[in-house]
Amino acid sequence: MMAFDMIGIITTMNRTQKLALLFLGVFAVLLFVELPGSWLCDPDETRYAEIPREMLASHDFITPTLNGSHYFEKPPLLYWADAAAMAVLGENPFAARLPARLATLGTAAALAVGLAGTWGLTAGLWAALLFLSSMFGFVLGRINLTDGVLTFALTGAFLCLRRFFLEGARGRRSWSSEIGLGFFGAMAMLTKGLVGVVLPAAVAFLWIAVTGPWRRLRELILSPMWIVFAGLSAPWFLLVEKANPGFAWFFFVHEHFLRYATPGASRQGPLYYFIVTFALGFLPWTFLFPQSLAFLKPDSAATWRRTLQQDPDGLFFALWFFVVLGFFSLSHSKLIPYIFPLMPAASALAARSLDRLPAWMGRTLAGLACFYLILALIFPRIADEHSTTRLAMEGAKWRPEQVVCYRNFSPSLPWTLKRTVPVVEARGELADDGIMPPGLFWKEDEFWRRWNSGERFLALVASGEREAFVHHEGPPPVMVAQNRKFTLFANFALGPQKN
């Protein structure tokens, strides 16, 4: 029955809508194109795959661990989703990336459905298409990061909040929107923490402050969404704190407030960092965006608020965009994927500004599709330079007694070998809470003593440490494999490989 309904809908579409639907299908397929050798990239993709792999191995889905060490920087929703995909499809890169890709596809679908009922089917389809075909939509939508899942969760939350306001303007209260807001807010909280609450709350407050219906704020405060939100998100936080006392301080204070507000934090950038990032990430549609904000320009300062009140729905998407942009721009910790959640708002505004679709749009989309296909085809070569997977596979052929990360840590090594590996004089992101598993963190003298003891050892060495490692006292190391960032050395001669 649903298939016939879908066919009926398609037959009633005009040419523009059919073109948009066709290209949506093309870019949706491109999202999943992956050739053999498309290894997970260090450090982020392999980190977020290794943690769920260890969950499956230990059957502990409460305490996330990375290489056997507690890892409390992120909540577990992506880990759980990755673990589920791996349990079905195996522990491989495609399974690890599947949840993020499905989330990106879900974001596009939510845009299309959410806008079609108010702005029309054309605007909904083109918003979804602009999102999927942007540089960020293709690149960030394909990789195993928390940001794709967070974008889906926040998009769901924002669209439920928008529907709550639209129904309120008609004099109706939308209980389903409030419940949905609690559900998607919990998803966002379990994906990346308090941003799942802070960003929708900021947009809701500013929209109400400008448009004036303060009773909406009271309805939200007394809404059942809090029951849904707490019921879904609180259990894990309570269980992980019970199992690991001190988790709450590290997660909420260190990872949220101190990282956001502390000057001198790593991953800094200028105030305009994310403006430039957005301009590049929304290509090739960046030039469409300025004209989509024309409705915000008042005739005079005195009429500014009245101008905004004349288009409350447009104001909502503008607030969605600028609140996310401003929030992360003020942070002292900046990474490119952080602003992925503003891309759906930018796509919606840009789609609404397309009164008439220019003739070049189809050619541009076809060219983009070809370009993205080429990127997908050459990705294995790119991934090989940003992963130690091939090196680990080459090393495993020699059946070493021990494989060690020397003065570095590459999550690709335990991910590929399917076991934890010792780390020499390097902690980095390992042991967030200071608890160091016995036997996994070695001192330099212990490593060299064992390296020279006759055990069959492999050591992963970063390019910056290579010269010092090669010239260290003892038998000269033998190179097993290397890429641009790392070299894998052995302390034994490479004779015939063991079967």
Side-chain angles (χ1 to χ4, degrees):
M1 184 66 69
M2 288 185 63
F4 287 114
D5 290 343
M6 192 65 188
I7 293 172
I9 293 172
I10 293 174
T11 56
T12 60
M13 288 181 175
N14 59 39
R15 183 177 179 277
T16 297
Q17 293 166 348
K18 289 178 180 177
L19 180 67
L21 187 63
L22 171 65
F23 277 113
L24 264 177
V26 170
F27 285 99
V29 170
L30 286 172
L31 201 62
F32 294 88
V33 172
E34 183 164 294
L35 294 184
S38 298
W39 316 127
L40 297 171
C41 294
D42 272 342
D44 295 326
E45 278 203 296
T46 38
R47 177 199 304 124
Y48 296 135
E50 173 59 14
I51 292 170
R53 187 201 69 79
E54 293 183 27
M55 283 183 166
L56 288 171
S58 66
H59 304 290
D60 182 355
F61 295 91
I62 299 300
T63 302
T65 61
L66 176 62
N67 198 42
S69 302
H70 292 169
Y71 188 83
F72 292 146
E73 292 190 13
K74 300 291 186 298
L77 187 58
L78 177 65
Y79 312 148
W80 292 342
D82 278 7
M86 291 177 197
V88 175
L89 301 175
E91 295 172 0
N92 56 69
F94 184 84
R97 291 177 174 131
L98 183 60
R101 291 173 175 177
L102 290 175
T104 301
L105 203 59
T107 301
L111 269 180
V113 174
L115 296 181
T118 49
W119 294 359
L121 181 59
T122 300
L125 291 173
W126 282 98
L129 182 55
L130 294 181
F131 171 74
L132 273 189
S133 62
S134 68
M135 287 295 295
F136 266 14
F138 176 76
V139 175
L140 296 182
R142 288 172 52 84
I143 57 182
N144 182 36
L145 296 176
T146 57
D147 304 277
V149 178
L150 177 66
T151 298
F152 171 67
L154 283 176
T155 298
F158 281 126
L159 290 177
C160 285
L161 182 62
R162 170 182 178 254
R163 185 165 177 265
F164 169 81
F165 288 142
L166 290 174
E167 291 297 305
R170 300 184 182 107
R172 299 195 294 262
R173 186 163 182 181
S174 177
W175 297 100
S176 62
S177 298
E178 296 173 34
I179 293 171
L181 183 55
F183 173 82
F184 286 108
M187 277 190 64
M189 181 73 177
L190 287 170
T191 302
K192 214 164 185 179
L194 290 176
V195 293
V197 178
V198 171
L199 296 177
V203 170
F205 179 81
L206 291 172
W207 187 90
I208 292 171
V210 173
T211 58
W214 287 100
R215 65 183 182 280
R216 299 277 89 83
L217 184 60
R218 184 175 65 254
E219 290 173 1
L220 283 174
I221 293 173
L222 301 176
S223 168
M225 73 173 179
W226 297 110
I227 299 174
V228 176
F229 175 81
L232 293 176
S233 63
W236 177 78
F237 287 97
L238 295 174
L239 289 170
V240 74
E241 173 64 25
K242 181 179 179 180
N244 307 275
F247 158 81
W249 186 93
F250 177 85
F251 182 78
F252 290 108
V253 179
H254 183 275
E255 286 301 297
H256 282 74
F257 298 108
L258 295 182
R259 176 175 286 188
Y260 183 88
T262 303
S266 61
R267 308 185 304 214
Q268 294 188 83
L271 195 61
Y272 57 81
Y273 178 89
F274 284 125
I275 297 175
V276 176
T277 301
F278 166 71
L280 296 175
F282 200 46
L283 287 173
W285 316 119
T286 309
F287 72 96
L288 293 174
F289 190 67
Q291 71 188 53
S292 71
L293 299 178
F295 73 97
L296 296 176
K297 184 179 179 181
D299 297 328
S300 66
T303 62
W304 178 74
R305 184 172 180 180
R306 191 181 311 127
T307 301
L308 298 180
Q309 291 174 337
Q310 289 173 354
D311 189 358
D313 204 24
L315 173 64
F316 181 87
F317 284 95
L319 286 173
W320 174 353
F321 176 87
F322 285 111
V323 164
V324 176
L325 179 66
F327 178 85
F328 288 111
S329 294
L330 293 175
S331 172
H332 288 281
S333 180
K334 295 180 172 71
L335 282 177
I336 287 174
Y338 284 2
I339 61 164
F340 196 27
L342 63 73
M343 289 294 168
S347 301
L349 290 167
R352 192 176 75 147
S353 69
L354 289 172
D355 298 327
R356 203 174 41 209
L357 296 174
W360 50 262
M361 192 72 111
R363 293 192 296 271
T364 301
L365 288 166
L368 267 180
C370 293
F371 174 62
Y372 290 160
L373 179 60
I374 292 171
L375 287 182
L377 295 178
I378 66 173
F379 183 74
R381 187 179 184 89
I382 299 171
D384 188 58
E385 294 299 317
H386 293 83
S387 170
T388 57
T389 297
R390 178 177 57 83
L391 278 60
M393 293 171 67
E394 289 290 327
K397 296 176 182 177
W398 299 99
R399 304 286 182 85
E401 296 173 57
Q402 194 65 265
V403 182
V404 179
C405 286
Y406 178 78
R407 301 179 69 87
N408 69 79
F409 174 64
S410 167
S412 288
L413 218 56
W415 161 252
T416 305
L417 298 175
K418 310 303 181 189
R419 66 176 187 270
T420 56
V421 298
V423 178
V424 180
E425 296 288 359
R427 281 184 58 193
E429 62 188 357
L430 299 177
D432 281 342
D433 56 359
I435 298 175
M436 302 167 66
L440 284 180
F441 291 87
W442 292 6
K443 296 293 185 182
E444 184 106 5
D445 56 353
E446 179 184 0
F447 168 75
W448 287 112
R449 177 181 60 79
R450 296 185 64 170
W451 178 266
N452 296 324
S453 70
E455 292 182 76
R456 288 172 66 88
F457 259 71
L458 293 177
L460 184 73
V461 182
S463 56
E465 299 280 349
R466 177 175 173 172
E467 285 302 313
F469 188 89
V470 169
H471 293 99
H472 196 276
E473 183 179 347
V478 179
M479 187 183 76
V480 178
Q482 68 175 342
N483 62 14
R484 185 169 57 88
K485 291 187 175 183
F486 292 99
T487 303
L488 189 67
F489 287 109
N491 68 345
F492 53 86
L494 303 182
Q497 293 180 2
K498 293 188 176 185
N499 294 324

